[in-house]
Amino acid sequence: MSSPDSSPTPTTAPYDPAEGAAAGLHAFDQVVAASTGFRSRAGQRGMAEKVAQTLAAATLGKVDEDTDPVRAIAVIQAGTGVGKSLAYCAPAIALALARNTRVLISTATVALQEQLVAKDLPALAASMPQPFRFALAKGRGRYVCRLKLERLGGLAEPEIDEEDPEDDLFADELPAMRSARETRPAHEVEARLKFYAGVAQALSSGAWDGDRDTLETPPTADVWLPMAAEAASCTGKHCPSFGQCAYYERRKTLVGAQVIVVNHDLLLSSLGNRLLPELDNSLLVLDEAHHLPATALAQFACRMDLGRHGWAEKLARRAVRFGSLLGVTEVADIPVHAKFMRQALQDVERLATDLYGETLRAGLQGAGRGASRARLPRGALDEALVEPLGQVAHHAEGFLTAMRCIAKALRAEMRERPEQARRLSTQYAQLGALAPRLESVAETAQLLLRDTEPGQVPTAKWFTLDLDGDQQPVLQAHASPLLPGATLRNRLWGAVRGAVLTSATLTSMGKFEFFLREAGLHDDEAASTLEVPSPFDYARQGRLIAVETRADPRDAAEYVAEMVRALVHDLQSVRSGALVLFTSREQLRQAVTALPPVLVPRVLVQTAMPRGQLLAAHRARVADGAPSIIFGMQSFGEGLDLPGRLCESVFITKLPFAPPDDPVGEARAEWLRGSGRDPFTELVVPATAIRLAQWVGRAIRTEEDRAAVYCYDRRLVTTAYGQRLLQGLPAFAFSRGRREEPEPVAG
């Protein structure tokens, strides 16, 4: 079977970028002309032209050693209503077909992936003169491992090693079950086992396709993990269930697809591993591109557990046993590496406890929820930790080297002894289930040891203390790159030839600079920008009311109390759909508590029910002519599409500042201050501008909408940065006024 990375070789016929750009734009024009009732938009065509010119200019595939390939990257902000999906899909696909290559479309949210695959691409395929195929690519972990599920569901006997009869080779896939047997009521354990048996039967009968997302009720993470397919434990074509594997069956659809839809996480995690087509021979489109920097930081951060090392002993024991049977000489080194790695981890744990234990324990007691943390200022590692961490890194890498030799020998044995495929695949899976922990130890130790030369950007480093399910303390070490731009420049953009990045919010206060820096494209000669305004008449369709509270928003208690009183008063005027956005759970809690009886039945609270259920209830109420008010947190400020009467009012309780209070943000702010720069101006305000634009963007979704946006934070109009924030918002009809204390609302 061929794989998605075996992309067709670009045509060898002479290629003219100008002709390619013209053909790409012509394809867009043809689709628009063929679409009945489609409203032509100059901004959308301008975006399509920019996409066509950019992707046509890129050099794809292999080039001569003495030839520098042309890189072309467009960063396009397309306001709400532009129709950016069609503007990039039509020219990109036409160019891919003409150049005998593929288009990778990456999004940040499942909602947009589903829209592309279920709506936009089928409609486009029906309109374009040349046929094309498209497919959705998901991470391996979204699919079930049939071998594991058969074991969990009782359809296969446990694989027991003859030399260690108590060692169930799938034991590591059942941590939640083992814990459940000891700490949970028997009926919960039985329900879990019944679930596994049910989905195993559905899979074997063909009633379920093995995709987590197609289950009627997707299971929680702790239920899904034991049955999920994972690269480290997968033997691919050597697995006895390979011919029925849900993951590999889905990958077959990628082979012949000219358009592959992925998400940012999968795109970044697949760099260098050939799971997706080669980026230097593909056209790349990143929609919802404003999420890319945060995704990059999350993707390339790492951590290791300092206090629980039983997995290392178990992995070493099994690796030695399997490797010895296969004649792998490197297994002789494993016991030594495992022993000294564990000892070094214990030393790091002891020293970290001595150095940071008081801070961590105090933080854990005060946090109420979540882990406490102790960050290393300026990424400077205490001298006492250098030696033991060096030992951890050395022995973890030695352990990994031996593991790679065993894995190679196991794969060779599978090829030579196919009749033993089930036993050998089980052994491979057992080793692979623990190998990611070893890899995390090696990566984290190496990143923690990275020194910062004067003038260089440091690495964010910190320790956390949390409680596990049995209320036992768990100490972990973490490390992360500090700047997403530097990481993306090194990991992604060097491999990309032609790309388009787009979103409704890429500028901050009217400029692209902040996003370009965050995305690693600032000063990149290949990158160009375009801002396509929304076709909506915001001055006619919407109003922005800046309410000036008397209380200073920095005085949280006084401000929230006053804001809640004003909000409750204003909600009385809601006659259809409305959205209230809060920046904290405490704000939301106080607002809910303050609701008079007349408002209580009108309010739907995000934290009280699943998102889909809440939105369905909201739509039903509005359809019945009743007022319906959604109380939502920050996640409801983006990607929520409530056109027309579903959202005629948006209430912003406070400017959505996101102070750099996470370890990476704190370390970055510290570095900026140490360099004589202001993190509030460089980080907080630009990020807030983008987030506020997203929130305000919930109000007007179509050319027929009419809506009002209320902001209770007086800083929007009384500070210099507030004025800059206003400049980045749509040109609503604007009014301001001091909030007088309202009369109490009658119940």
Side-chain angles (χ1 to χ4, degrees):
M1 181 185 77
S2 58
S3 61
D5 53 270
S6 55
S7 302
T9 303
T11 178
T12 56
Y15 173 71
D16 184 342
E19 291 182 2
L25 183 59
H26 179 64
F28 167 82
D29 289 335
Q30 283 184 304
V31 171
V32 171
S35 302
T36 55
F38 191 86
R39 189 176 300 175
S40 178
R41 296 168 177 164
Q44 186 185 44
R45 191 175 190 276
M47 178 177 174
E49 184 175 18
K50 179 68 172 178
V51 170
Q53 291 173 346
T54 301
L55 299 183
T59 304
L60 300 181
K62 294 181 180 180
V63 295
D64 297 334
E65 293 183 3
D66 56 349
T67 301
D68 290 329
V70 175
R71 296 173 59 248
I73 300 173
V75 178
I76 305 173
Q77 174 168 292
T80 305
V82 167
K84 64 182 186 301
S85 296
L86 176 59
Y88 64 68
C89 279
I93 293 171
L95 279 163
L97 295 174
R99 303 186 69 178
N100 196 26
T101 188
R102 292 173 175 164
V103 180
L104 276 177
I105 302 176
S106 182
T107 77
T109 62
V110 173
L112 182 53
Q113 284 181 296
E114 292 176 345
Q115 175 188 315
L116 285 166
V117 172
K119 180 183 176 183
D120 295 346
L121 290 172
L124 195 58
S127 301
M128 291 186 68
Q130 190 173 354
F132 66 89
R133 285 176 288 183
F134 55 89
L136 174 64
K138 299 181 184 180
R140 188 189 296 261
R142 308 297 293 183
Y143 298 95
V144 74
C145 171
R146 183 179 287 267
L147 211 59
K148 293 178 183 177
L149 184 59
E150 288 177 354
R151 165 72 181 92
L152 290 166
L155 301 185
E157 292 298 318
E159 296 285 348
I160 306 297
D161 191 274
E162 295 178 359
E163 296 185 20
D164 193 351
E166 295 184 358
D167 191 7
D168 179 351
L169 294 182
F170 271 98
D172 292 302
E173 303 299 332
L174 292 164
M177 292 300 298
R178 292 203 309 276
S179 174
R181 292 181 191 279
E182 299 170 1
T183 62
R184 296 181 183 177
H187 72 274
E188 290 188 16
V189 178
E190 290 306 313
R192 178 78 62 88
L193 294 173
K194 184 177 180 181
F195 170 79
Y196 288 136
V199 292
Q201 187 61 45
L203 184 68
S204 63
S205 67
W208 177 47
D209 63 0
D211 183 341
R212 181 183 186 275
D213 299 323
T214 61
L215 287 169
E216 184 174 348
T217 304
T220 58
D222 64 323
V223 175
W224 175 257
L225 186 60
M227 59 194 277
E230 296 174 318
S233 59
C234 178
T235 57
K237 63 182 180 182
H238 304 299
C239 176
S241 299
F242 175 73
Q244 301 169 295
C245 178
Y247 170 69
Y248 281 102
E249 281 300 306
R250 182 59 62 91
R251 278 185 64 80
K252 291 179 182 178
T253 65
L254 305 185
V255 176
Q258 288 88 11
V259 183
I260 300 176
V261 180
V262 301
N263 59 49
H264 299 342
D265 275 311
L266 180 59
L267 175 70
L268 295 179
S269 65
S270 68
L271 294 175
N273 63 16
R274 298 175 64 83
L275 285 175
L276 296 173
E278 298 287 351
L279 292 177
D280 63 359
N281 193 25
S282 305
L283 303 177
L284 176 64
V285 176
L286 294 121
D287 203 339
E288 300 175 316
H290 60 283
H291 285 287
L292 185 64
T295 303
L297 282 181
Q299 185 69 236
F300 299 118
C302 55
R303 65 181 179 179
M304 64 179 175
D305 200 328
L306 297 175
R308 295 176 293 190
H309 316 128
W311 63 267
E313 182 180 3
K314 189 179 297 183
L315 178 60
R317 185 177 69 244
R318 294 171 181 172
V320 169
R321 188 160 67 246
F322 300 157
S324 298
L325 292 172
L326 295 167
V328 178
T329 57
E330 288 82 357
V331 299
D333 300 327
I334 288 179
V336 174
H337 285 308
K339 174 184 176 181
F340 286 111
M341 183 186 75
R342 294 182 68 195
Q343 288 180 356
L345 285 169
Q346 290 169 356
D347 290 342
V348 174
E349 180 187 32
R350 174 178 53 80
L351 290 166
T353 301
D354 291 342
L355 290 164
Y356 312 110
E358 184 176 347
T359 300
L360 289 168
R361 287 188 293 270
L364 190 62
Q365 293 170 0
R369 50 183 292 172
S372 65
R373 65 173 183 265
R375 186 178 58 82
L376 280 58
R378 300 173 303 282
L381 197 65
D382 191 281
E383 190 63 32
L385 292 168
V386 174
E387 173 59 26
L389 277 171
Q391 290 295 311
V392 171
H394 171 73
H395 291 294
E397 188 55 44
F399 198 161
L400 276 172
T401 299
M403 288 287 296
R404 294 184 188 107
C405 294
I406 297 170
K408 182 178 179 180
L410 270 172
R411 290 193 295 269
E413 189 78 354
M414 289 177 210
R415 288 193 296 270
E416 296 172 8
R417 301 176 64 187
E419 73 281 2
Q420 295 293 318
R422 179 170 289 274
R423 178 181 64 83
L424 294 168
S425 291
T426 300
Q427 292 178 356
Y428 191 97
Q430 181 59 31
L431 293 175
L434 294 172
R437 301 192 200 182
L438 181 59
E439 292 169 350
S440 293
V441 167
E443 292 171 2
T444 307
Q446 290 166 2
L447 198 50
L448 285 168
L449 287 165
R450 181 178 296 172
D451 287 329
T452 303
E453 299 295 329
Q456 288 186 338
V457 180
T459 299
K461 304 171 186 177
W462 69 99
F463 292 91
T464 59
L465 182 66
D466 203 354
L467 300 176
D468 65 13
D470 297 323
Q471 297 299 297
Q472 296 299 310
V474 178
L475 182 64
Q476 292 186 325
H478 305 251
S480 170
L482 203 61
L483 302 181
T487 302
L488 288 166
R489 189 162 52 248
N490 295 333
R491 303 284 190 99
L492 177 63
W493 301 124
V496 171
R497 300 278 182 79
V500 171
L501 295 82
T502 187
S503 167
T505 50
L506 293 181
T507 62
S508 178
M509 298 172 288
K511 298 181 179 180
F512 282 98
E513 276 74 9
F514 177 70
F515 175 76
L516 292 175
R517 290 185 186 278
E518 293 292 285
L521 292 171
H522 194 265
D523 294 332
D524 189 328
E525 294 181 355
S528 60
T529 62
L530 173 68
E531 183 174 358
V532 182
S534 169
F536 301 157
D537 185 349
Y538 284 105
R540 180 179 60 84
Q541 294 181 246
R543 294 180 297 132
L544 174 59
I545 301 100
V547 181
E548 297 180 54
T549 56
R550 294 180 180 275
D552 189 332
R554 292 172 294 185
D555 183 349
E558 187 177 347
Y559 172 77
V560 172
E562 182 184 349
M563 178 274 294
V564 166
R565 290 193 297 270
L567 173 67
V568 169
H569 179 272
D570 291 341
L571 291 179
Q572 297 293 303
S573 62
V574 171
R575 296 292 176 262
S576 191
L579 174 65
V580 184
L581 292 169
F582 297 88
T583 59
S584 72
R585 288 179 177 270
E586 179 59 20
Q587 283 182 5
L588 186 148
R589 185 194 67 79
Q590 290 192 38
V592 171
T593 302
L595 288 174
V598 70
L599 282 180
V600 170
R602 304 179 189 178
V603 173
L604 296 165
V605 182
Q606 176 187 353
T607 56
M609 66 181 73
R611 181 184 178 108
Q613 183 179 334
L614 181 149
L615 294 177
H618 177 74
R619 291 187 175 97
R621 287 183 181 183
V622 174
D624 289 341
S628 182
I629 304 166
I630 296 174
F631 276 19
M633 299 292 293
Q634 297 198 40
S635 62
F636 271 48
E638 178 180 354
L640 196 62
D641 191 24
L642 297 172
R645 295 174 57 244
L646 291 173
C647 186
E648 292 184 340
S649 304
V650 175
F651 299 89
I652 297 174
T653 59
K654 197 173 185 179
L655 289 176
F657 285 110
D661 55 4
D662 63 286
V664 178
E666 288 175 351
R668 187 172 178 186
E670 177 184 66
W671 169 67
L672 286 171
R673 282 191 293 268
S675 304
R677 296 154 66 183
D678 179 13
F680 183 76
T681 301
E682 290 198 32
L683 287 181
V684 178
V685 172
T688 301
I690 291 176
R691 191 174 296 109
L692 182 61
Q694 287 280 352
W695 285 26
V696 170
R698 299 313 97 206
I700 305 295
R701 308 301 299 171
T702 74
E703 289 163 325
E704 288 75 38
D705 286 0
R706 300 290 186 276
V709 178
Y710 298 80
C711 179
Y712 295 96
D713 194 324
R714 72 185 191 187
R715 292 173 294 182
L716 185 64
V717 291
T718 61
T719 64
Y721 64 79
Q723 293 296 321
R724 296 200 301 274
L725 295 176
L726 273 174
Q727 292 172 7
L729 298 180
F732 287 110
F734 178 74
S735 62
R736 58 182 290 189
R738 179 174 294 278
R739 168 59 62 187
E740 301 297 334
E741 282 295 309
E743 295 294 327
V745 178

